[in-house]
């Protein structure tokens, strides 16, 4: 956070006094706006280029953020989503927005977005929903809303997904030089336990709403629960190493 007069530099991050991530390039920014949304002091945002190197599991329902030194064992009851990354580190994946093959589209993950899903003209066309059927979003002069019959994430077919039209997607596409159909927010990912593996090229989604679900035992290096992450642009890969436990006495 730029509030304390910090400057951009490389930093080290320590998780749970057990794992340290070194040589992380850090950008300085005013995070006041991010602190206002959750009504909590936000001093650090962690971006996807960092997450790709700490093999994380993000469990919104369980209020856990787990980091590891190596990839974990694939969960026994999870679907796999293959990820790609565009210039600047943006996470993109392919999905089905409608019922036929022509509905395949590309979504950019934007965890700062308050809506579960935002689609542009092409994205809504692939859903088969006419823009004229959308209704205005309360207290918004530019956004309209509708409900997708379903959205496919890996092997999961998610019914009744709320989505909006009118978000500034063209700004993302121009700045990133990529053609997108929409943005996917953390509100939709929060329904799953999310694990990144294979350098962030693979995302495992676990349906934590299953009544008979039993979480697999931790594996694949040092697992360290921590608070929920944020999202911010980062550059170049950091290095990770285990950290020895702190001494029981102080000087």
């Amino acid at each position: 956070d730029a509030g304390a007069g910090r400057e951009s530099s490389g930093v080290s991050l320590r998780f749970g006094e057990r794992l340290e991530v070194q040589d992380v390039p850090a950008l300085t920014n005013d995070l006041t706006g991010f602190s206002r949304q959750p009504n909590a002091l936000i001093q650090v945002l962690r971006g996807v280029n960092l997450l790709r190197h700490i093999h994380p599991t993000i469990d919104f329902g369980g209020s856990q953020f787990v980091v590891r030194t190596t990839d974990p064992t694939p969960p026994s009851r999870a679907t796999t989503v293959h990820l790609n990354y565009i210039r600047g580190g943006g996470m993109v994946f392919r999905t089905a927005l409608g019922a036929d093959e022509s509905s395949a589209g590309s979504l950019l993950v934007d965890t700062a977005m308050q809506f579960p899903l935002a689609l542009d003209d092409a994205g809504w066309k692939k859903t088969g929903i006419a823009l004229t059927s959308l209704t205005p979003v309360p207290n918004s002069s530019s956004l309209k809303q509708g409900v997708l019959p379903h959205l496919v994430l890996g092997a999961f077919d998610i019914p009744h997904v709320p989505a909006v039209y009118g978000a500034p997607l063209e700004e993302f596409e121009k700045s990133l030089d990529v053609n997108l159909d929409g943005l996917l927010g953390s509100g939709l990912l929060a329904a799953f336990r999310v694990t990144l593996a294979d350098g962030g090229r693979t995302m495992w989604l676990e349906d934590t709403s299953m009544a008979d679900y039993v979480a697999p035992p931790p594996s694949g290096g040092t697992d360290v629960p921590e608070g929920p992450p944020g999202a911010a642009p980062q550059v170049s890969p950091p290095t990770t190493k285990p950290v020895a436990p702190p001494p029981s006495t102080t000087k």
Side-chain angles (χ1 to χ4, degrees):
D1 180 24
R6 301 180 181 90
E7 297 180 356
S8 301
S9 63
V11 300
S12 294
L13 300 175
R14 182 171 292 188
F15 299 89
E17 299 297 332
R18 293 170 56 192
L19 186 144
E20 183 176 348
V21 187
Q22 297 181 326
D23 305 321
V24 181
L27 303 177
T28 301
N29 237 323
D30 185 357
L31 304 183
T32 305
F34 291 95
S35 297
R36 183 181 298 113
Q37 295 173 14
N39 194 27
L41 179 62
I42 304 297
Q43 295 178 304
V44 178
L45 298 182
R46 288 170 293 212
V48 69
N49 282 341
L50 172 61
L51 295 179
R52 293 177 65 181
H53 293 86
I54 57 178
H55 320 279
T57 293
I58 305 167
D59 186 347
F60 291 91
S63 300
Q64 283 193 325
F65 174 59
V66 181
V67 300
R68 304 176 176 88
T69 56
T70 60
D71 278 341
T73 302
S76 59
R77 307 187 72 169
T79 188
T80 298
V81 177
H82 298 289
L83 304 173
N84 293 291
Y85 294 86
I86 57 180
R87 182 168 55 88
M91 181 188 294
V92 178
F93 64 92
R94 299 282 290 173
T95 185
L97 299 171
D100 53 44
E101 294 182 358
S102 64
S103 67
S106 297
L107 299 179
L108 173 72
V109 177
D110 179 11
T111 57
M113 185 175 67
Q114 59 178 312
F115 302 105
L117 189 65
L119 299 176
D120 61 7
D121 295 71
W124 279 103
K125 183 177 181 180
K126 292 178 179 180
T127 68
I129 300 175
L131 294 179
T132 54
S133 68
L134 303 181
T135 59
V137 174
N139 302 319
S140 175
S141 59
S142 59
L143 295 178
K144 294 185 178 182
Q145 61 186 349
V147 178
L148 275 65
H150 69 99
L151 177 71
V152 176
L153 290 179
F156 292 150
D157 193 331
I158 308 170
H160 311 304
V161 179
V164 298
Y165 170 73
L169 291 174
E170 291 184 359
E171 298 178 9
F172 279 91
E173 294 178 322
K174 290 180 179 179
S175 61
L176 300 173
D177 191 24
V178 64
N179 183 26
L180 301 169
D181 291 292
L183 306 176
L184 183 132
S186 59
L188 196 146
L189 288 178
F192 305 95
R193 180 182 291 117
V194 181
T195 298
L196 297 181
D198 190 24
R201 290 180 288 271
T202 298
M203 178 169 64
W204 293 320
L205 298 178
E206 300 173 77
D207 185 359
T208 57
S209 66
M210 293 186 297
D212 60 343
Y213 178 84
V214 178
S219 59
T222 304
D223 293 4
V224 184
E226 214 244 17
Q234 299 281 348
V235 293
S236 78
T239 58
T240 62
K241 70 172 186 178
V243 175
S248 57
T249 60
T250 59
K251 296 183 180 180

